Amino acid sequence: MTTQLSLLINGEKVAGNGASFDVINPADETILVSGKMASTDQLDQAVAAARQAFATWRTTPEAERSALLHRIADRIEANADELARIIVQEQGKPLFLAQVEVGGAVAWTRYNADLEIPVKVIEDSDEKRIEGHRKPLGVVASITPWNWPLMIAIWHIMPALRTGNTVVCKPSGMTPLNTLRLVEIVNEVLPAGVVNLVLGEREIGEAISRHQDIDKIIFTGSTPTGQDIMTHAAGNLKRLTLELGGNDAGIVLPGTDVNAVAEGIFNTSFINMGQTCAALKRLYVHDSLYDSLCSRLADLAQAQVVGDGLEEGTTFGPVQNAAQFNIVRELVEDARAKGGRILSGGEPVNGKGYFYPPTIVADVSNGVRLVDEEQFGPALPVIRYSDVDEAIRMANDCPFGLGGSVWGSDLDEAERVARQLESGTVWINNHAEVLPHAPFGGCKLSGCGVEFGVEGLLEYTQLQVINLRK
Ligand code: NAD
């Protein structure tokens, strides 16, 4: 495991010159490693290295860039065990889920390697030929959160590289070790300076947003931070892709087979201990099914084995950090005080570590904080409704618009409802599924732009129109 925290600038590992910080293991609250953040001078050095590398990387033939991305995927696969263990130690998720994360990292890298950058023929007549070409933007900065740290870093870095940009990444200070190891691996394959890494939190994030020689920021994190980035990025009109917070609603229609959907609803609500941007975070259930579905969800919650992600048999790990743990605790307490009925969990686990069991809260509705705010943790509010239009109204009565879902046996009716939800993605009889080839992004306060698929790839490019008069 990477035991030293460092920056990685122009192919060299260097110690940070900024403030000290610790990386904590959320399962026992011990310090995994201490290190120093980057100074703003060091950020400048990383950006300068990326700018210099851009001159040659942008002209590297497509086929070569693609082959190099496949070599990176091979190297990630060869180091999969180490990466998965690092993720468990600093992020907390159970080992099997960390292995899924590393598997996803490989899949997304290979998918991007094989994507074609399209040239669009806009007109081809006797008089003229007009074509749309895609050019790289330059230096792309990636700012990532702590929930799926390796996978999200890959989502940012690989399309940037595929399209000929160079990169400066800044992982979350709470989970930097996996991304540092990833960038080391990438640097075994790519020329120095193509991918660099700096450490830091708000201060260095703001310096990135204001930096005059960064051309684009791809950011995944909370809405307030995304708004900050947008404000500070105006100086040089940076391109932005912002994947922000969500408060995804799921609607269970009358006539749904409860046994067929309960497990899917549980798994997509509590994936990664609920710390997933597009997890199902509010569940609206028709009156006719309410009691039976609540009881199935509570059984599934109680069957979870809560513990250290490295321990055999653990199915449910800790919340990643103390601040998030306290938010979940506070929202559940507030719901209880407002008449919410706790069907499972509802109290933190005693002892060291940020353990909070999967918690199902019934008899709450819009207007209660657990429903209105993003809990980003293991507590699901279940809301009773009797009229489908009212459920749609409550689902849309929310400033976020990342994902949503409709669960039901009548697929035509499910689709009719799905089309009315205000979100970037609506799943029918599923939730939270992200795929390399399906564009993903939010509306309203959940962000702007998309990732994945060709649409996601093109966000790392500038359109240039060549208008040729014959
Ligand atoms: P956060 O916004 O606190 O931090 C995210 C990153 O931004 C970190 O690297 C942090 O150091 C950096 N940062 C902090 N202040 C900054 C500033 N002023 N300028 C620039 N960078 C700054 O988010 P978090 O707590 O790490 O993650 C949880 C949030 O992320 C949740 O709201 C969740 O919904 C969201 N999220 C969204 C998606 C998505 O795809 N839409 C995916 C995962 C997480």
Side-chain angles (χ1 to χ4, degrees):
M1 174 175 159
T2 311
T3 46
Q4 297 265 309
L5 271 175
S6 68
L7 323 182
L8 213 157
I9 299 174
N10 206 22
E12 302 288 333
K13 289 174 80 169
V14 284
N17 287 335
S20 301
F21 73 106
D22 302 324
V23 181
I24 307 285
N25 181 343
D28 59 14
E29 299 174 53
T30 56
I31 297 175
L32 280 172
V33 57
S34 301
K36 288 194 165 188
M37 302 186 187
S39 63
T40 48
D41 283 350
Q42 290 177 310
L43 171 65
D44 288 345
Q45 289 163 19
V47 175
R51 177 61 60 194
Q52 199 183 356
F54 179 59
T56 43
W57 183 247
R58 69 179 306 175
T59 59
T60 304
E62 297 276 315
E64 194 178 328
R65 286 209 295 260
S66 167
L68 288 168
L69 258 60
H70 277 298
R71 271 183 51 201
I72 293 171
D74 295 343
R75 301 288 304 130
I76 297 171
E77 273 179 324
N79 290 277
D81 287 346
E82 182 195 4
L83 283 164
R85 284 181 172 273
I86 295 173
I87 291 171
V88 178
Q89 285 178 303
E90 63 181 343
Q91 202 284 328
K93 68 187 55 155
L95 185 58
F96 72 87
L97 200 56
Q99 287 162 342
V100 169
E101 182 164 356
V102 178
V106 172
W108 253 274
T109 302
R110 294 203 190 284
Y111 174 78
N112 276 285
D114 291 337
L115 272 183
E116 295 285 327
I117 303 168
V119 174
K120 186 173 181 188
V121 177
I122 298 159
E123 180 181 335
D124 192 10
S125 60
D126 290 345
E127 294 82 42
K128 60 183 74 154
R129 184 170 170 89
I130 307 177
E131 290 176 348
H133 290 257
R134 294 285 174 167
K135 302 175 79 171
L137 294 167
V139 177
V140 171
S142 149
I143 303 180
T144 43
W146 45 258
N147 57 340
W148 292 92
L150 182 77
M151 182 106 94
I152 296 175
I154 290 278
W155 290 350
H156 291 186
I157 296 170
M158 294 309 156
L161 294 178
R162 179 66 193 85
T163 44
N165 301 279
T166 55
V167 179
V168 175
C169 354
K170 193 210 78 60
S172 164
M174 289 189 253
T175 51
L177 292 167
N178 65 85
T179 312
L180 176 57
R181 185 72 193 102
L182 170 70
V183 174
E184 284 173 10
I185 290 169
V186 168
N187 272 269
E188 290 163 13
V189 177
L190 299 188
V194 174
V195 179
N196 307 273
L197 176 136
V198 294
L199 297 172
E201 294 275 25
R202 187 187 179 93
E203 192 187 336
I204 213 77
E206 273 198 30
I208 288 173
S209 307
R210 293 182 194 277
H211 206 289
Q212 293 299 303
D213 208 25
I214 291 175
D215 301 287
K216 175 190 171 83
I217 298 177
I218 163 80
F219 170 74
T220 304
S222 66
T223 296
T225 306
Q227 289 168 319
D228 247 28
I229 289 173
M230 194 174 239
T231 305
H232 297 137
N236 66 334
L237 282 185
K238 284 181 189 64
R239 303 314 192 246
L240 298 176
T241 302
L242 303 177
E243 296 286 2
L244 309 179
N247 193 6
D248 289 14
I251 298 178
V252 184
L253 297 174
T256 303
D257 177 352
V258 165
N259 285 324
V261 298
E263 216 169 298
I265 290 174
F266 180 84
N267 290 339
T268 55
S269 301
F270 289 96
I271 180 169
N272 202 31
M273 285 47 74
Q275 303 161 117
T276 298
C277 53
L280 201 171
K281 293 176 179 148
R282 304 173 279 152
L283 185 67
Y284 295 87
V285 182
H286 190 260
D287 198 28
S288 56
L289 314 167
Y290 190 81
D291 293 330
S292 59
L293 184 52
C294 279
S295 131
R296 281 288 289 129
L297 291 174
D299 289 347
L300 289 162
Q302 272 147 16
Q304 298 303 308
V305 181
V306 179
D308 185 327
L310 285 179
E311 264 165 35
E312 189 93 16
T314 295
T315 63
F316 210 85
V319 172
Q320 200 279 327
N321 59 74
Q324 198 63 46
F325 176 76
N326 288 329
I327 290 173
V328 173
R329 219 155 66 159
E330 195 181 307
L331 292 181
V332 172
E333 280 320 311
D334 179 73
R336 196 196 313 265
K338 302 270 161 43
R341 199 158 40 95
I342 312 290
L343 303 182
S344 69
E347 295 289 348
V349 176
N350 282 331
K352 282 282 177 198
Y354 309 125
F355 291 104
Y356 201 94
T359 295
I360 308 286
V361 184
D363 298 348
V364 281
S365 193
N366 288 34
V368 172
R369 287 182 63 201
L370 181 61
V371 181
D372 291 353
E373 297 177 25
E374 183 187 32
Q375 70 278 53
F376 211 64
L380 178 70
V382 190
I383 302 119
R384 189 191 296 266
Y385 77 86
S386 51
D387 174 61
V388 174
D389 288 335
E390 175 63 1
I392 297 170
R393 193 198 61 72
M394 288 193 288
N396 286 338
D397 185 17
C398 171
F400 296 108
L402 192 56
S405 60
V406 185
W407 303 75
S409 310
D410 178 344
L411 296 184
D412 290 336
E413 170 65 357
E415 195 174 336
R416 185 191 73 80
V417 174
R419 286 176 186 280
Q420 295 178 70
L421 293 185
E422 294 166 2
S423 61
T425 303
V426 191
W427 292 273
I428 293 175
N429 291 323
N430 201 358
H431 203 114
E433 184 189 39
V434 288
L435 297 162
H437 51 283
F440 172 76
C443 61
K444 303 204 259 185
L445 288 186
S446 288
C448 58
V450 294
E451 292 187 270
F452 316 153
V454 178
E455 291 86 346
L457 188 78
L458 296 184
E459 296 217 1
Y460 294 82
T461 64
Q462 171 68 47
L463 176 67
Q464 184 177 52
V465 174
I466 308 268
N467 184 333
L468 183 151
R469 192 162 155 201
K470 290 183 179 168

